[in-house]
């Protein structure tokens, strides 16, 4: 995707940044600055929304987030907390809930600053909650003269439009007259986004100090955001049991269903697709009868999983906490828009099972807070050493590469005794998992199919790890007389069959990348049987061994036989000495690809974003160069045009 993070320009403030960086932990060496005086309360009601709130609560820093999986929101929260360490006062805000036109009024607040933590989603798109803000900026925006801002972008280099959203906002704000305090931070989730964030932030705050003439308060101690209340004797119906938003929504289900109100879909099929080998791929059917949920081929279904009860139990034991204690965690900042870290009141067990991500390796701010609870000074120092950018190699090695989750850390550092409520406050929210729907509503209007590989691996420390969602789904057979349900919602995608069925299509989907194409094939087959003129339908599929992981083999062969699938190009990577992948097959079929493109054909790619999608892109470009007699620049333009016209789409993860 894009360029490297070493983008940062060490500007005039750079020297100072280095100074601060090396000496910030030594109190006596801290630079002295004038203390910031926060504007006193300005007349209430003079402006609406977030500006008003900032004025009324003496805040001068607002951190907006565009978040799809929670990371941008988490970074925003950390930056808002940071502000207090510099005598400033920050708040986190969701652009979806704010009138972003008010941004220009930030100048009414003395020494004010706006920070954006913005993730890029899909093909260079904003996240759902930042879409309106994006449209607003694209549609013109407003004069932002006098506004000070900073952007930290979150993205993934394996995707073509690396950090497109963050970069766009960063340059658009400048165009509108705002003053950038620091070069946009480019977080790369493919490498180590935590490290990128920590490095950016270590450069950012010294610049803020210099710009506003504020200084670090020197109080680096942990800041608790939530206060704990233990609720005894609460009736069951007053306690959350995993609902995402509305209490009781899992007992009395009401449409419409969305991310905040998922539908509990019964699993009506769950079978193994692999015929051998030690890996597993599941075909799951979810019943949506009566839910009023509609979907189209190419859409995604989101699943809210539950954590492994065994891990939950072990965390409870290790921290000597009764997991059935019912608690409420309330934000000590009464003005904060987020009152609780997750739905409250609930039990520790429910929080660890439904709401918290207990299986990902924790980020450095968690290690920092954990360090406070290490009784052994060596363990404390060890944890602290991983939290600055000096310690990034150690963090990478011990946490990331070893895949140490919170339980593994607690098990390996015996003197750590954090209280359970602080653990619950620190850990990020457990996120829904997305799956490319592998059915067509034309054939299956009342069910949604998923094709998912069970994640299973052993870490370097010998711990066996299973994917949260895929293990949870794997443990839900339909044979044992019990009906399991899964909280789901559908997310619309741009991955669509051509409007006219007569348009030819090329589908490239190795492994589980086949998922949406199973839906596409069902749809084209249905239309053909209805007597519609259906264009050429070509599928590229790849797997390791024909005898083991050729998923949906019978169905595909049936479509080949009846002509709904015109051609199947298949690569079994390990059935011969030389590894063969779909990319290689594309290379052999450049003529066919060019012919279909020139006939108005559409190309679809689904599956692995890291290698496959990129190599397929290169192959396509090569086809266009060789067959279309275009030079590299013209070929790239040709491909760009295909993308913008919706004739070349990727659904990769
Ligand atoms: P998690 O608990 O989330 O664990 C996954 C993590 O484990 C990885 O991120 C990686 O850090 C680590 N990991 C995995 N394997 C290894 C290894 N061998 N060694 C070390 N670490 C490892 N998945 C499908 O199967 N089918 C689909 O159709 C599909 N469609 C998707 C569509 C979209 C739009 C997106 C965003 C994702 C899609 N996914 C699909 C991926 C899916 O959402 C989940 O990420 C996947 O099922 C794993 O979830 P999990 O909770 O089981 O694993």
């Amino acid at each position: 995707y894009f360029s490297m993070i070493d983008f940062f320009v060490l500007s005039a403030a750079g020297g100072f940044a280095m100074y601060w960086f090396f000496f910030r932990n030594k109190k006596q060496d801290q630079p002295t600055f004038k203390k910031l005086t926060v504007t006193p309360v300005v007349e209430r009601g003079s402006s609406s929304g977030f500006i008003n709130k900032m004025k009324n609560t003496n805040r001068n820093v607002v951190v907006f987030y565009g978040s799809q999986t929670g990371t941008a929101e988490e970074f925003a929260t950390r930056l808002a907390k940071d502000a207090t360490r510099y005598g400033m006062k920050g708040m986190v805000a969701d652009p979806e809930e704010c009138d972003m036109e008010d941004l220009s009024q930030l100048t009414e607040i003395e020494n004010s600053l706006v920070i954006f933590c913005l993730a890029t989603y899909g093909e260079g798109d904003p996240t759902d909650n930042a879409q309106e803000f994006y449209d607003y900026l694209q549609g013109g925006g407003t004069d932002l003269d006098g506004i000070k801002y900073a952007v930290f972008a979150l993205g993934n280099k394996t995707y073509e439009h690396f950090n497109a959203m963050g970069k766009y906002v960063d340059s658009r704000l400048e165009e509108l007259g705002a003053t950038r305090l620091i070069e946009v931070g480019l977080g790369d989730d493919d490498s180590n986004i935590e490290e990128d964030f920590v490095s950016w932030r270590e450069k950012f705050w010294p610049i803020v100090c210099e710009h506003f003439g504020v200084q670090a308060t020197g109080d680096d101690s942990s800041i608790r955001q939530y206060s704990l209340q233990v609720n005894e004797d609460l009736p069951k119906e007053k306690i959350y049991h995993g609902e995402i938003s509305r209490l009781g929504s899992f007992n009395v289900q009401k449409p419409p269903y969305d991310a905040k109100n998922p539908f509990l879909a019964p699993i009506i099929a769950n079978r193994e697709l692999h015929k051998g080998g030690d890996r597993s791929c599941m075909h799951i059917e979810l019943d949506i009868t009566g839910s009023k949920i509609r979907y189209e081929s190419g859409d995604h279904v989101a699943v809210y999983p539950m954590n492994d009860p065994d891990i939950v139990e072990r965390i409870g034991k290790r921290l000597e906490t009764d997991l059935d204690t019912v608690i409420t965690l309330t934000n000590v900042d009464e003005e904060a828009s987020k009152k609780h870290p997750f739905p409250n009141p609930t039990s520790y067990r429910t929080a660890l099972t439904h709401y918290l991500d207990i299986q990902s390796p924790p980020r450095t701010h968690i290690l920092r807070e954990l360090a406070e609870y290490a009784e052994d000074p060596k363990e404390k120092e060890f944890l602290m050493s991983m939290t600055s950018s000096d310690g990034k190699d150690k963090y990478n090695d011990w946490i990331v590469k070893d895949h140490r989750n919170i339980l593994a850390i607690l098990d390996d550092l015996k003197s750590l005794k954090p209280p359970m409520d602080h653990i619950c406050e620190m850990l990020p929210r457990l996120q829904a998992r997305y799956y490319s729907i592998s059915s067509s509503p034309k054939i299956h209007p009342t069910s949604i199919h998923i094709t998912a590989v069970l994640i299973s691996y052993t870490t370097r420390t010998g711990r066996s790890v299973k994917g949260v969602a895929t293990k949870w789904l794997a443990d839900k057979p339909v044979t044992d007389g019990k009906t399991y349900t899964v909280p789901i919602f559908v997310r619309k995608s741009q991955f669509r069959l051509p409007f006219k069925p007569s348009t030819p299509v090329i589908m490239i989907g190795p492994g589980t990348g086949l998922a949406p194409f199973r839906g596409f094939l069902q749809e084209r087959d249905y239309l053909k049987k209805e007597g519609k003129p259906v264009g050429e339908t070509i599928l590229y599929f790849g797997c390791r061994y024909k005898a083991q992981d050729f998923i949906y083999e019978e169905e595909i062969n049936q479509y080949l036989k009846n002509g709904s699938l015109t051609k199947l190009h298949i690569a079994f990577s390990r059935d011969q000495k030389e590894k063969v992948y779909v990319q290689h097959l594309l290379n052999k079929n450049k003529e066919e690809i060019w012919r279909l493109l020139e006939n108005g054909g559409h190309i679809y790619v689904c599956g692995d974003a890291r290698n496959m999608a990129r190599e397929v892109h290169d192959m396509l470009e090569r086809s266009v160069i060789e067959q279309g007699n275009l030079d590299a620049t013209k070929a790239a333009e040709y491909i760009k045009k295909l993308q913008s016209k919706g004739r070349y789409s990727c659904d990769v993860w």
Side-chain angles (χ1 to χ4, degrees):
Y1 259 19
F2 277 41
S3 45
M4 302 292 290
I5 314 282
D6 37 321
F7 236 73
F8 300 111
V9 178
L10 280 183
S11 59
F16 171 75
M18 296 297 285
Y19 172 83
W20 182 85
F21 172 75
F22 285 111
F23 298 108
R24 72 195 186 294
N25 287 330
K26 297 187 193 164
K27 276 188 186 159
Q28 68 276 23
D29 287 331
Q30 253 162 17
T32 44
F33 285 106
K34 176 169 89 215
K35 214 168 166 105
L36 172 89
T37 40
V38 180
T39 327
V41 178
V42 189
E43 359 126 42
R44 282 161 199 260
S46 60
S47 60
S48 62
F50 74 92
I51 296 285
N52 209 21
K53 190 161 170 185
M54 288 177 77
K55 287 178 180 174
N56 292 342
T57 55
N58 283 355
R59 280 167 223 253
N60 52 356
V61 179
V62 55
V63 196
F64 288 105
Y65 60 87
S67 196
Q68 201 73 24
T69 61
T71 313
E73 183 181 356
E74 183 196 309
F75 287 176
T77 308
R78 287 163 69 181
L79 288 168
K81 258 192 189 183
D82 279 350
T84 43
R85 299 203 164 103
Y86 299 91
M88 300 175 92
K89 203 170 166 199
M91 73 174 208
V92 178
D94 180 347
E96 196 173 39
E97 287 166 11
C98 295
D99 199 344
M100 298 304 280
E101 277 177 40
D102 292 352
L103 210 52
S104 59
Q105 294 172 29
L106 209 55
T107 48
E108 294 167 18
I109 298 170
E110 203 186 327
N111 281 345
S112 59
L113 168 66
V114 55
I115 309 172
F116 292 91
C117 292
L118 298 170
T120 297
Y121 193 68
E123 296 192 52
D125 304 319
T127 57
D128 291 346
N129 78 319
Q131 181 70 49
E132 249 178 68
F133 175 51
Y134 177 73
D135 294 343
Y136 165 69
L137 287 180
Q138 283 223 314
T142 181
D143 182 11
L144 295 179
D145 189 30
I147 303 292
K148 313 285 163 36
Y149 77 95
V151 179
F152 185 80
L154 296 90
N156 187 311
K157 260 196 195 134
T158 41
Y159 290 77
E160 192 183 340
H161 306 273
F162 176 52
N163 275 325
M165 176 62 180
K167 287 176 182 172
Y168 169 74
V169 171
D170 180 63
S171 64
R172 185 74 190 132
L173 293 179
E174 189 185 36
E175 277 169 22
L176 292 170
T179 307
R180 177 191 294 116
L181 289 193
I182 182 173
E183 201 80 8
V184 55
L186 299 177
D188 177 16
D189 202 24
D190 188 44
S191 157
N192 186 345
I193 203 160
E194 170 69 13
E195 191 180 304
D196 300 334
F197 176 68
V198 169
S199 304
W200 181 83
R201 178 183 178 221
E202 285 191 347
K203 288 179 188 145
F204 173 63
W205 286 110
I207 293 173
V208 172
C209 285
E210 189 168 78
H211 189 91
F212 293 109
V214 290
Q215 62 172 349
T217 58
D219 181 11
D220 241 11
S221 60
S222 155
I223 300 169
R224 287 295 302 262
Q225 192 73 53
Y226 297 94
S227 68
L228 169 71
Q229 190 194 339
V230 174
N231 309 108
E232 276 159 26
D233 307 323
L234 263 185
K236 235 180 156 183
E237 62 278 9
K238 292 252 163 80
I239 302 167
Y240 279 89
H241 289 95
E243 300 94 322
I244 304 302
S245 178
R246 181 173 58 86
L247 187 66
S249 62
F250 281 3
N251 295 327
V252 184
Q253 291 249 286
K254 282 187 212 147
Y257 297 104
D258 55 27
K260 292 212 165 119
N261 182 34
F263 173 65
L264 292 183
I267 296 189
I268 47 176
N270 189 351
R271 61 169 199 270
E272 178 58 53
L273 289 171
H274 286 179
K275 290 163 222 149
D278 48 14
R279 295 179 314 138
S280 163
C281 183
M282 299 168 272
H283 171 82
I284 292 168
E285 297 182 11
L286 303 164
D287 189 0
I288 52 166
T289 309
S291 68
K292 296 199 172 124
I293 290 178
R294 285 186 206 290
Y295 73 99
E296 283 184 62
S297 308
D299 281 342
H300 299 132
V301 62
V303 168
Y304 282 108
M306 276 164 68
N307 284 312
D308 185 342
D310 178 51
I311 300 179
V312 172
E313 203 61 55
R314 283 164 61 199
I315 294 175
K317 270 225 175 77
R318 170 65 178 78
L319 297 181
E320 296 169 18
T321 306
D322 176 4
L323 289 172
D324 295 312
T325 312
V326 175
I327 55 146
T328 301
L329 290 175
T330 308
N331 204 322
V332 288
D333 179 355
E334 287 172 13
E335 303 294 334
S337 48
K338 198 168 164 186
K339 298 271 174 261
H340 310 288
F342 43 78
N344 278 183
T346 194
S347 67
Y348 282 130
R349 187 185 303 282
T350 303
L352 292 174
T353 308
H354 289 267
Y355 299 133
L356 297 167
D357 180 350
I358 57 174
Q359 221 170 279
S360 298
R363 298 191 193 283
T364 53
H365 68 292
I366 296 184
L367 303 185
R368 215 203 142 282
E369 309 238 328
L370 281 178
E372 310 245 331
Y373 300 106
E375 283 168 8
D376 178 346
K378 274 201 199 110
E379 291 188 346
K380 186 186 189 96
E381 197 194 314
F382 175 67
L383 282 169
M384 285 306 288
S385 71
M386 286 186 282
T387 65
S388 75
S389 53
D390 307 359
K392 61 188 178 189
D393 289 344
K394 208 185 271 180
Y395 173 78
N396 224 349
D397 196 58
W398 202 73
I399 296 286
V400 182
K401 289 206 178 128
D402 278 355
H403 287 273
R404 274 198 176 75
N405 59 24
I406 186 72
L407 178 61
I409 293 170
L410 291 171
D411 280 347
D412 289 348
L413 302 177
K414 299 270 185 263
S415 85
L416 266 190
K417 300 244 165 68
M420 186 66 99
D421 61 298
H422 201 174
I423 291 284
C424 290
E425 170 177 329
M426 285 188 287
L427 292 178
R429 278 292 289 267
L430 179 61
Q431 298 294 324
R433 268 52 172 182
Y434 288 93
Y435 295 93
S436 302
I437 296 178
S438 62
S439 52
S440 160
K442 294 263 182 340
I443 312 293
H444 301 284
T446 60
S447 65
I448 283 177
H449 300 186
I450 290 178
T451 307
V453 164
L454 173 67
I455 301 289
S456 174
Y457 59 95
T458 306
T459 69
R460 295 194 305 190
T461 55
R463 294 181 165 98
S464 154
V465 180
K466 295 239 168 22
V468 174
T470 47
K471 178 186 190 296
W472 181 66
L473 288 168
D475 288 345
K476 300 189 158 1
V478 282
T479 44
D480 65 359
K482 203 175 151 188
T483 306
Y484 293 97
T485 59
V486 178
I488 62 159
F489 65 94
V490 168
R491 189 172 191 275
K492 295 272 158 221
S493 88
Q494 308 281 333
F495 204 68
R496 287 277 180 274
L497 273 168
F499 182 67
K500 277 202 247 162
S502 58
T503 307
V505 299
I506 300 177
M507 305 176 290
I508 304 157
T512 42
L514 181 61
F517 302 136
R518 180 172 178 263
F520 282 11
L521 281 168
Q522 288 178 358
E523 190 127 347
R524 303 270 277 191
D525 183 58
Y526 170 86
L527 292 169
K528 193 156 178 278
K529 283 178 180 151
E530 286 231 304
K532 301 255 165 50
V534 176
E536 266 182 90
T537 306
I538 297 176
L539 174 67
Y540 285 81
F541 175 71
C543 61
R544 290 186 184 173
Y545 305 99
K546 182 177 190 306
Q548 286 183 10
D549 49 2
F550 184 179
I551 58 176
Y552 301 116
E553 182 177 2
E554 289 76 22
E555 292 180 28
I556 289 174
N557 284 333
Q558 188 56 37
Y559 292 133
L560 257 184
K561 222 163 136 192
N562 72 16
S564 294
L565 178 60
T566 327
K567 220 176 242 172
L568 172 66
H569 297 293
I570 194 156
F572 300 111
S573 64
R574 302 190 185 182
D575 271 346
Q576 61 287 310
K577 233 167 138 196
E578 293 277 297
K579 285 200 174 148
V580 186
Y581 296 112
V582 286
Q583 303 80 298
H584 303 128
L585 303 184
L586 285 168
N587 194 31
K588 280 193 189 154
N589 298 316
K590 291 193 203 95
E591 257 179 66
E592 182 184 77
I593 294 165
W594 179 248
R595 178 174 60 77
L596 258 80
L597 283 178
E598 285 295 276
N599 283 331
H602 286 213
I603 296 196
Y604 302 89
V605 184
C606 181
D608 167 45
R610 188 167 295 211
N611 301 311
M612 186 273 296
R614 199 190 305 218
E615 286 172 26
V616 164
H617 185 99
D618 293 345
M619 285 301 163
L620 281 181
E621 217 159 61
R622 241 189 262 175
S623 296
V624 175
I625 291 172
E626 284 178 27
Q627 300 293 314
N629 278 325
L630 298 176
D631 64 25
T633 320
K634 286 255 156 52
E637 277 170 20
Y638 185 97
I639 302 265
K640 275 246 145 62
K641 208 160 156 196
L642 287 180
Q643 286 172 323
S644 66
K645 290 196 162 170
R647 287 182 51 204
Y648 170 28
S649 314
C650 295
D651 178 24
V652 291
W653 60 83

